[in-house]
Amino acid sequence: MASTLQTAWATLIHTHPPHRIEFFGNIMIQIIFFWVPALSFTLLDFIAPSFSARHKLQPPPKQPTLPEIIHCALVVLRNQLQNVLTSLSLLTLARATNQPSRFRLDPPLPSAQEFLTHLLICILSREVLFYLAHRALHTPRLYKKIHKIHHEFTAPVALAAQYAHPLEHLVANTLPVAIPPLVLGCHLVTMWGFLGVTLVETATVHSGYDFAGGLGRHHDLHHERFVGNYGVVGLLDWVLGTEVKEKGKAE
């Protein structure tokens, strides 16, 4: 299996320009690891209503309507188009100036040790960057002008993970994911792995179902109460005393 993947990757590297691999690979990761799980969670209401009702974290009166979900999907498409155009511009500029990709596109795939080490560092780094950006967005001025849009969904759905003001999408959703692998100089495949994990996680914790241990409820409480639980996995919330429990307020 490993040799097959290695051969396929080496063939891809030798037959396609690196910037093209990075650009179209990023789009494919978004489709596979965000749109597929997000739409699957959303369709549960229609294809398995009884199962969906049993596992919803919040009651039916709080659930968004179909027009609201469609509007959400259109905003998400706009935000992803923003990312695509930004990425295309940067890659076009890099190609025009003969600059290599900031990620490694070596024919050898990263070793398992390198992949897992970089993945862990990226996950922890994103926890810090997202926490700081998210908590800043809850200051009164930024909340009113920017972050309030994301909190229109008091009972979130998976697509609402990227339902945000364009500036928030850049600062809180995109940069905390892009910066760690860029700084580390990760192999492109490692970056894709990190991006895939991040997209599945954010779709799942916004899904309205608790299918990810306590992470779904952790973030759902944030949408329900508008305060606390600013982090991804809750590590910094625990350290800095902003964790919200089932009962009571942020500590």
Side-chain angles (χ1 to χ4, degrees), residues 24-37 76 80 83-84 162 169 173-174 177 195-196 199:
F24 287 104
N26 290 347
I27 293 176
M28 288 301 298
I29 295 296
Q30 284 279 352
I31 293 171
I32 295 170
F33 293 99
F34 179 75
W35 283 100
V36 170
V76 171
Q80 291 199 353
N83 281 4
V84 168
Q162 296 187 23
H169 186 64
N173 293 343
T174 304
V177 177
L195 179 58
L199 292 171

Side-chain angles (χ1 to χ4, degrees), residues 7-82:
T7 301
W9 174 251
T11 301
L12 184 67
I13 289 294
H14 288 118
T15 55
H16 294 81
H19 294 105
R20 186 179 300 172
I21 295 172
E22 182 178 339
F23 178 72
F24 287 104
N26 290 347
I27 293 176
M28 288 301 298
I29 295 296
Q30 284 279 352
I31 293 171
I32 295 170
F33 293 99
F34 179 75
W35 283 100
V36 170
L39 291 176
S40 298
F41 283 127
T42 303
L43 290 174
L44 275 178
D45 277 336
F46 304 97
I47 63 178
S50 297
F51 176 84
S52 174
R54 287 198 305 271
H55 292 278
K56 283 280 189 182
L57 286 166
Q58 296 196 43
K62 290 189 174 184
Q63 300 303 320
T65 64
L66 182 58
E68 289 171 335
I69 293 174
I70 293 172
H71 171 67
C72 175
L74 293 175
V75 172
V76 171
L77 283 170
R78 179 205 67 192
N79 285 338
Q80 291 199 353
L81 179 60
Q82 169 183 298

Side-chain angles (χ1 to χ4, degrees), residues 214 217-222 224-230 234 237-238 241-251:
R217 185 56 181 159
H218 179 267
H219 195 69
D220 202 82
L221 281 168
H222 174 78
E224 185 179 348
R225 302 183 186 181
F226 304 98
V227 67
N229 292 358
Y230 301 110
D237 286 299
W238 177 72
T242 54
E243 184 179 14
V244 170
K245 306 285 189 177
E246 284 288 337
K247 296 181 180 180
K249 298 181 180 180
E251 297 175 354

